[in-house]
Amino acid sequence: MKLKAIVLAMMTLSALTLAGCGSDGDKGDTGATGPAGSDGSNGQNGTDGRDYTAANEWFMAGQATVANASKNSISDPAGKAKNIILFVGDGMGISTLTAARIYQGQQQGNSGEENRLSFETFPYSGLVKTYSANQQTPDSAPTMTAIVTGVKTKDGIISVSDDAVRDECSTSAGHEVMTALELAEIAGMSTGIISTARLTHATPAATYSHAVERNWESDKEMSQAALNAGCKDIASQLIDFPYGDGPEVAMGGGRTYFMPNTATDPEYGSAGRRNDGRDLTAEWTSKYSDGAYVWNRAQFMSVDTSSVKHLLGLFENSHMQYEADRVDGDGAGEPSLAEMTSRALEMLKQNDKGYFLMVEGGRIDHAHHAGNAARALEDTVALSDAVRVAMEKADKDTLILVTADHSHVFTIAGYPVRGNPILGLVRGVNESGEPATTYSTDSNGMPYTTLGYANGPGFGFGNDPVNTDNYRPDLNLYNVTDVDYRQEATVPLGSETHAGEDVAVYATGPGAQLVTGSVEQNMLFHVMNYAANLVGRAEAAQTQN
Amino acid sequence: MKLLPMLLLLLPTAASAVDFCPNSMPTQNWGIQYQLSGAHQGTLLLLRQQAQTAFYNPQNQVAEWWRFDNPQHPQFSRVFGEAKRRIDYYMGDLRTLGVQVSQAEIESFAANHLRQALTKVPQSDCAEAEAYEGDYHQVHYRMLWSTALQLPLTLETTVQGKVSRWQAQQFVNSADVTGHFQQWQAYKRTDFADVGDNEQDPFLAKMINQGFVEHSEHAAYDSRGNPLGNHSH
């Protein structure tokens, strides 16, 4: 009884103190009650005025988090989620999340470390083991297959089980595995696929196609033997999608993979890729009487979502622009990931039976491969913005998952002081814990950046200024915070590689409580299936038909 | 540290009279054959077809191919003739590699800016040409500039006492130029952004290990006057 009384007193004290925490300008240090700050659970960045330099506020923030978590004794029944939105940051490892959160916070004029990406406010998260059926470190094909089918497969294979052999068409038949998007279509739900990569790239492709070779993006990329054996290219599988009434939304890059080689790209003047003469964009609008095809931002913005029920958007002939280059790098203009997500939800929400939407930030991976951290972080923030849109637009009966397919060998190094520019040179603290007056240096007295790569093209810097004592570039001579700056790499490779460590998954909505601990990547499909009862709804729809 | 290739002989003499002195620009597709003289013997072809410009080394069949159909969004490919493959770079890719693209520089053998930086001097080697000389970024240049072609006929660089020289020798005929571009168009292409996801591809794996994608240079020679065109690693 006495213990209970003490706990009660502490709770009361905490409640009173918390009530005194308001905005920056009203911290309640006089005891006056300030306006309540946002807790960030709405996807905002928690800019609620907490003074994290005050030790008691660290304590109380942690206490409040635990208090909120203690309310999460949820056990949602199967099928409680009407809708599912799956966000995938391609190559968005945990170090990328940390750096992107700091980057975004610093862009907003804050120290950065305390910032939260939109999905970092979700109540549930876990670690995901990404290895594929045959590789310790995977590519996007088997990892996305695991996420959307519940089955791990081999590298390079898209939504076909590991019974198949890569690039051997004959091994595919009978081993295709049903995807969450296909189940949703069978169930009568609306579906959408969005990516800043090509729509035919491995991650988006895994939602709607089946191929034993991820590079079969158009028939031009297929061998004659594969074509003769009856395998279909990925772009054609999107247009010939056999389930339900077909995807309602498909937006991304990869226009030339849908165009015959006799056609000319409207933006670049280059030829289409298809050898079979099919114009898949025309076929889309022929197949769907309520369909539309757009290829630039102006057309996209003018789409009437009350009348257009099947929207195909192909905004680049290959991948869409990096977010850092989107505004000035694309003459025809292209929408942001957040804009595409918003428009897609406007369309998908019109179906009373619910929807399944997959959104990929596809170019985080590419920027990392190029050893260019700034663009990777910009694209990660763009994904966070898209998630925020979904959090605001989606109804409460929507399960939202945010995860990555795999990681990259991207590191956050040194002992930089709080608020040190995340793209900058490491500046530590002095003996008193105050910011040092000079940069931290390596064994040869040379400064180094916080961000770097274990391998990749950033090794050596070609013929540019190098300290000949240790063959590291003299970073005093570089603008390391420039968006085009390429971080140093330890091992010389022309292209930086994926990494094999776990990635994170964040969840909110019905069934989100299942996302916890360390899980196999294919478990994420089963979470979605449990939450929305995809198989059950698909079977029921088939029975009705 | 990567060392850029040196294709030129270290020549002790200054530029001499030229045999190749065109008085007009060809009306169709055309090209110029440059002789790379020195310890590394060889040739480099500059090929032009409308908005396309390519630098092609016939010895190793490697080409750097630029298309400026949309000048604000140029496209670049590195072509590997022996493998019949090419790597396509889009604007964002070029930016990640730190490449600052200038159509004028590409089409002028990277000499357009030099004309602004150097001093015009008298010459009598070629009626349709102008001579320039001077120092730029610690490199001493001597250039004979064809006013008809808007290209150098000779370009001599001196870096720390070492002299190198490019010499235009003859036109490449129109059919050969067209043939090269058509051939490259048909090669299997891979986006630079996709290279990292295709390490199982033997060609790409080899290229990744050789570091083919790491160069940010985009012209015939680098900012220090070191000639490019035959990337060895």
Side-chain angles (χ1 to χ4, degrees):
Chain A
M1 182 65 80
K2 189 175 181 182
L3 180 63
K4 189 175 180 180
I6 292 172
V7 171
L8 181 63
M10 288 180 65
M11 289 175 64
T12 304
L13 179 62
S14 296
L16 287 171
T17 315
L18 278 169
C21 291
S23 66
D24 270 339
D26 198 355
K27 290 189 280 191
D29 53 359
T30 61
T33 301
S38 161
D39 64 2
S41 60
N42 60 352
Q44 301 303 312
N45 294 318
T47 53
D48 51 4
R50 289 182 187 139
D51 180 1
Y52 283 103
T53 59
N56 64 327
E57 296 206 15
W58 286 107
F59 184 88
M60 287 185 295
Q63 188 178 49
T65 302
V66 170
N68 284 334
S70 69
K71 300 171 186 172
N72 290 337
S73 56
I74 298 170
S75 181
D76 290 326
K80 188 175 180 182
K82 178 181 174 185
N83 316 302
I84 293 174
I85 307 176
L86 169 63
F87 287 93
V88 180
D90 198 320
M92 188 177 68
I94 290 175
S95 56
T96 302
L97 293 174
T98 304
R101 141 197 340 145
I102 295 171
Y103 179 78
Q104 184 190 45
Q106 293 181 344
Q107 295 291 97
Q108 295 168 345
N110 301 315
S111 174
E113 297 85 0
E114 71 292 339
N115 182 49
R116 286 193 288 182
L117 298 170
S118 61
F119 46 87
E120 291 182 306
T121 65
F122 285 7
Y124 295 98
S125 61
L127 292 173
V128 180
K129 299 158 70 178
T130 64
Y131 68 93
S132 69
N134 68 329
Q135 288 196 199
Q136 204 167 60
T137 299
D139 74 80
S140 298
T143 51
M144 189 59 175
T145 296
I147 293 169
V148 296
T149 72
V151 170
K152 289 207 180 205
T153 190
K154 298 170 186 166
D155 269 40
I157 293 179
I158 291 173
S159 294
V160 180
S161 76
D162 65 352
D163 294 314
V165 178
R166 181 171 187 174
D167 201 25
E168 290 189 18
C169 174
S170 61
T171 65
S172 177
H175 300 300
E176 297 89 350
V177 279
M178 188 68 78
T179 74
L181 185 141
E182 290 170 335
L183 289 167
E185 275 294 335
I186 294 170
M189 299 163 69
S190 290
T191 61
I193 310 128
I194 295 173
S195 176
T196 51
R198 293 188 297 267
L199 269 183
T200 49
H201 210 234
T203 301
T207 64
Y208 65 83
S209 71
H210 305 272
V212 291
E213 173 53 63
R214 59 176 287 170
N215 290 314
W216 289 352
E217 295 185 52
S218 81
D219 64 329
K220 181 183 173 70
E221 280 72 36
M222 298 177 68
S223 67
Q224 193 58 49
L227 291 168
N228 292 343
C231 281
K232 304 295 184 187
D233 70 272
I234 291 167
S236 70
Q237 291 188 54
L238 177 64
I239 306 303
D240 298 332
F241 189 85
Y243 303 105
D245 63 349
E248 277 67 21
V249 175
M251 290 190 285
R255 198 163 50 225
T256 51
Y257 293 76
F258 293 78
M259 293 164 41
N261 54 21
T262 52
T264 302
D265 184 78
E267 186 175 1
Y268 293 97
S270 52
R273 287 190 179 239
R274 302 196 64 79
N275 289 335
D276 61 6
R278 293 180 69 181
D279 180 347
L280 300 182
T281 61
E283 289 188 29
W284 176 277
T285 51
S286 297
K287 180 177 182 179
Y288 303 116
S289 59
D290 56 0
Y293 164 62
V294 296
W295 64 269
N296 60 50
R297 189 169 187 275
Q299 293 174 346
F300 165 82
M301 295 303 287
S302 65
V303 169
D304 180 358
T305 56
S306 64
S307 60
V308 173
K309 303 304 178 189
H310 289 86
L311 176 61
L312 175 64
L314 297 169
F315 302 107
E316 274 288 338
N317 58 357
S318 184
H319 303 295
M320 291 178 68
Q321 300 285 341
Y322 288 110
E323 177 61 21
D325 306 316
R326 184 173 59 82
V327 175
D328 72 335
D330 187 325
E334 57 186 57
S336 69
L337 195 61
E339 288 173 330
M340 290 192 287
T341 302
S342 176
R343 185 55 58 95
L345 287 172
E346 288 172 16
M347 294 179 63
L348 301 179
K349 287 176 70 175
Q350 297 174 30
N351 187 342
D352 292 338
K353 293 181 179 178
Y355 59 84
F356 173 91
L357 173 64
M358 192 287 297
V359 181
E360 184 203 22
R363 306 223 63 193
I364 302 166
D365 176 69
H366 297 153
H368 278 323
H369 278 309
N372 180 214
R375 281 185 172 77
L377 302 187
E378 287 264 5
D379 272 52
T380 304
V381 171
L383 179 71
S384 172
D385 290 342
V387 175
R388 179 174 293 118
V389 165
M391 294 164 69
E392 293 167 355
K393 284 208 163 192
D395 296 321
K396 288 187 176 180
D397 52 5
T398 304
L399 170 66
I400 303 177
L401 294 181
V402 182
T403 189
D405 48 358
H406 56 75
S407 184
H408 273 269
V409 292
F410 179 56
T411 60
I412 302 175
Y415 301 97
V417 65
R418 276 284 300 273
N420 196 57
I422 189 65
L423 293 171
L425 298 169
V426 172
R427 186 191 299 276
V429 298
N430 62 21
E431 299 85 347
S432 305
E434 296 299 317
T437 55
T438 58
Y439 292 126
S440 303
T441 55
D442 69 7
S443 303
N444 293 300
M446 302 284 286
Y448 54 92
T449 55
T450 303
L451 302 181
Y453 293 92
N455 61 43
F459 177 87
F461 280 39
N463 212 37
D464 289 337
V466 169
N467 178 307
T468 53
D469 291 334
N470 65 357
Y471 293 99
R472 280 193 61 237
D474 183 353
L475 298 190
N476 287 304
L477 304 177
Y478 291 81
N479 180 6
V480 298
T481 60
D482 189 88
V483 68
D484 293 337
Y485 178 76
R486 193 167 55 185
Q487 277 67 26
E488 283 182 277
T490 307
V491 176
L493 283 179
S495 182
E496 181 262 8
T497 72
H498 297 175
E501 80 268 15
D502 296 352
V503 297
V505 57
Y506 301 86
T508 188
Q513 77 280 359
L514 300 170
V515 172
T516 183
S518 177
V519 300
E520 297 286 357
Q521 197 159 35
N522 55 309
M523 195 274 269
L524 298 183
F525 166 83
H526 300 283
V527 170
M528 294 187 287
N529 184 40
Y530 176 89
N533 191 25
L534 293 172
V535 170
R537 288 159 77 177
E539 288 176 345
Q542 285 187 318
T543 303
Q544 288 175 357
N545 294 333
Chain B
M1 174 185 171
K2 291 282 183 183
L3 294 175
L4 289 169
M6 303 293 178
L7 289 178
L8 300 186
L9 183 66
L10 308 179
L11 295 177
T13 57
S16 58
V18 293
D19 297 327
F20 181 63
C21 176
N23 56 16
S24 64
M25 186 181 290
T27 54
Q28 296 182 307
N29 305 334
W30 58 283
I32 299 289
Q33 177 179 308
Y34 284 94
Q35 180 66 41
L36 311 176
S37 52
H40 303 85
Q41 299 290 333
T43 58
L44 183 71
L45 306 185
L46 183 150
L47 308 177
R48 294 283 299 275
Q49 178 175 308
Q50 296 172 328
Q52 302 178 71
T53 298
F55 298 94
Y56 176 56
N57 182 332
Q59 282 79 45
N60 61 12
Q61 300 181 56
V62 172
E64 299 195 341
W65 179 21
W66 293 89
R67 279 92 73 200
F68 293 98
D69 302 281
N70 182 342
Q72 302 305 314
H73 302 95
Q75 296 178 74
F76 172 68
S77 299
R78 185 161 281 129
V79 180
F80 300 89
E82 192 175 336
K84 299 191 184 330
R85 298 283 295 263
R86 71 177 219 238
I87 309 297
D88 291 349
Y89 297 70
Y90 290 88
M91 199 65 197
D93 302 323
L94 296 172
R95 288 178 175 177
T96 65
L97 296 172
V99 176
Q100 304 296 319
V101 183
S102 164
Q103 183 176 0
E105 291 303 310
I106 298 295
E107 293 182 344
S108 68
F109 206 68
N112 191 56
H113 71 291
L114 283 177
R115 290 202 302 137
Q116 320 301 324
L118 306 181
T119 303
K120 192 173 180 179
V121 296
Q123 64 87 24
S124 58
D125 290 332
C126 175
E128 300 294 335
E130 298 169 345
Y132 295 87
E133 184 169 359
D135 294 330
Y136 183 69
H137 287 183
Q138 289 82 51
V139 179
H140 184 72
Y141 289 93
R142 296 181 69 189
M143 177 169 67
L144 187 62
W145 173 261
S146 168
T147 53
L149 301 178
Q150 295 293 296
L151 282 169
L153 295 176
T154 62
L155 179 64
E156 185 182 283
T157 64
T158 306
V159 183
Q160 295 176 340
K162 297 178 179 178
V163 182
S164 306
R165 190 175 189 221
W166 301 84
Q167 176 78 56
Q169 292 196 312
Q170 60 183 349
F171 281 119
V172 180
N173 72 57
S174 175
D176 286 349
V177 174
T178 305
H180 280 303
F181 286 127
Q182 286 179 342
Q183 199 174 30
W184 299 341
Q185 187 69 46
Y187 283 174
K188 181 177 180 179
R189 47 184 161 159
T190 303
D191 281 9
F192 168 71
D194 295 322
V195 168
D197 289 328
N198 283 286
E199 281 203 61
Q200 89 297 337
D201 181 319
F203 167 75
L204 294 177
K206 177 183 170 187
M207 294 296 102
I208 289 170
N209 288 334
Q210 289 185 349
F212 77 111
V213 291
E214 73 182 59
H215 288 301
S216 61
E217 306 87 1
H218 56 84
Y221 48 90
D222 68 13
S223 60
R224 295 179 171 186
N226 298 317
L228 305 176
N230 180 16
H231 293 160
S232 59
H233 302 277

